[in-house]
Amino acid sequence: MGSVTPPPSPSVVVRPEVPDDAATVRDVVLRAFGPGEEVVADLVDTLRASSAHVPGLSFVATARRPDGTEEVVGHVMLTHSWLDAPDRLVEVLVLSPLGVVPERQRTGVGGALVRHALDAADAAGWPLVFLEGDPGYYPRHGFVAGGGLGFVAPSDRIPAHAFQVVPLSGHAPWMRGRLVYADAFWALDCVGLRP
């Protein structure tokens, strides 16, 4: 049995990202992914400025400092993509990236962000949320291998075990086919697992 991530501290709150958070979010992503991975922060900025941006589906996790001020310690965003289904294109979401500052990793912050994002997507009627990520982490939040449900990854550079999906209540069985990423993923070559 795998380890279970503890719930975040009660002092951690997940809320929608607001425009004033942009620079702080970039810093969180840079810290989360580390040196040499600036392209991930560029992806956040590019997606936010593109037609893939879905207002209200980008979230930050905040914690209270000892002086009572708020500190952003994590971020996740869901952006618009498509599923090339047999009958027609279906609008779907991609969860990418998820970033938590190093000192808050493995404390439940990432899980709280993922759960909050999935609940918001489900409430808004989206049928599917895709990602490419660690199969040891995301299944605890409802993600399963996409290939087993009839979905095809957008690139051969995405390992089968990393291409994952969570069907939401708006999903119907006919919705299967190839995921088509938004342009920003291709323009910045953010396809395939980060090393």
Side-chain angles (χ1 to χ4, degrees):
M1 176 184 247
S3 64
V4 175
T5 302
S9 161
S11 63
V12 173
V13 174
V14 176
R15 65 164 172 79
E17 179 186 341
V18 296
D20 285 349
D21 292 323
T24 303
V25 164
R26 182 173 178 84
D27 180 63
V28 165
V29 174
L30 288 169
R31 290 173 61 201
F33 284 84
E37 290 297 322
E38 293 81 4
V39 70
V40 182
D42 294 342
L43 177 65
V44 171
D45 293 339
T46 303
L47 285 167
R48 190 187 292 119
S50 76
S51 61
H53 175 72
V54 181
L57 290 183
S58 184
F59 302 97
V60 295
T62 65
R64 291 275 173 211
R65 296 185 183 102
D67 66 3
T69 59
E70 178 184 85
E71 173 187 19
V72 176
V73 296
H75 171 261
V76 70
M77 69 188 322
L78 298 171
T79 52
H80 178 274
S81 283
W82 298 267
L83 180 70
D84 188 10
D87 294 338
R88 66 178 188 270
L89 289 175
V90 178
E91 294 181 274
V92 299
L93 294 171
V94 169
L95 187 154
S96 180
L98 168 66
V100 177
V101 295
E103 60 273 19
R104 290 287 187 146
Q105 292 175 6
R106 296 175 187 79
T107 66
V109 173
L113 283 162
V114 171
R115 288 188 300 275
H116 193 92
L118 292 177
D119 287 347
D122 199 27
W126 291 88
L128 297 157
V129 177
F130 290 88
L131 61 76
E132 51 184 274
D134 181 355
Y137 177 76
Y138 288 101
R140 71 184 74 165
H141 303 297
F143 284 89
V144 297
L149 295 180
F151 300 109
V152 180
S155 169
D156 290 341
R157 289 185 285 152
I158 302 172
H161 65 274
F163 176 58
Q164 299 172 62
V165 64
V166 62
L168 302 176
S169 49
H171 176 252
W174 64 267
M175 296 178 185
R176 63 190 188 289
R178 182 176 298 276
L179 174 64
V180 180
Y181 273 152
D183 289 346
F185 288 93
W186 303 108
L188 295 172
D189 196 13
C190 285
V191 179
L193 288 182
R194 308 307 305 159

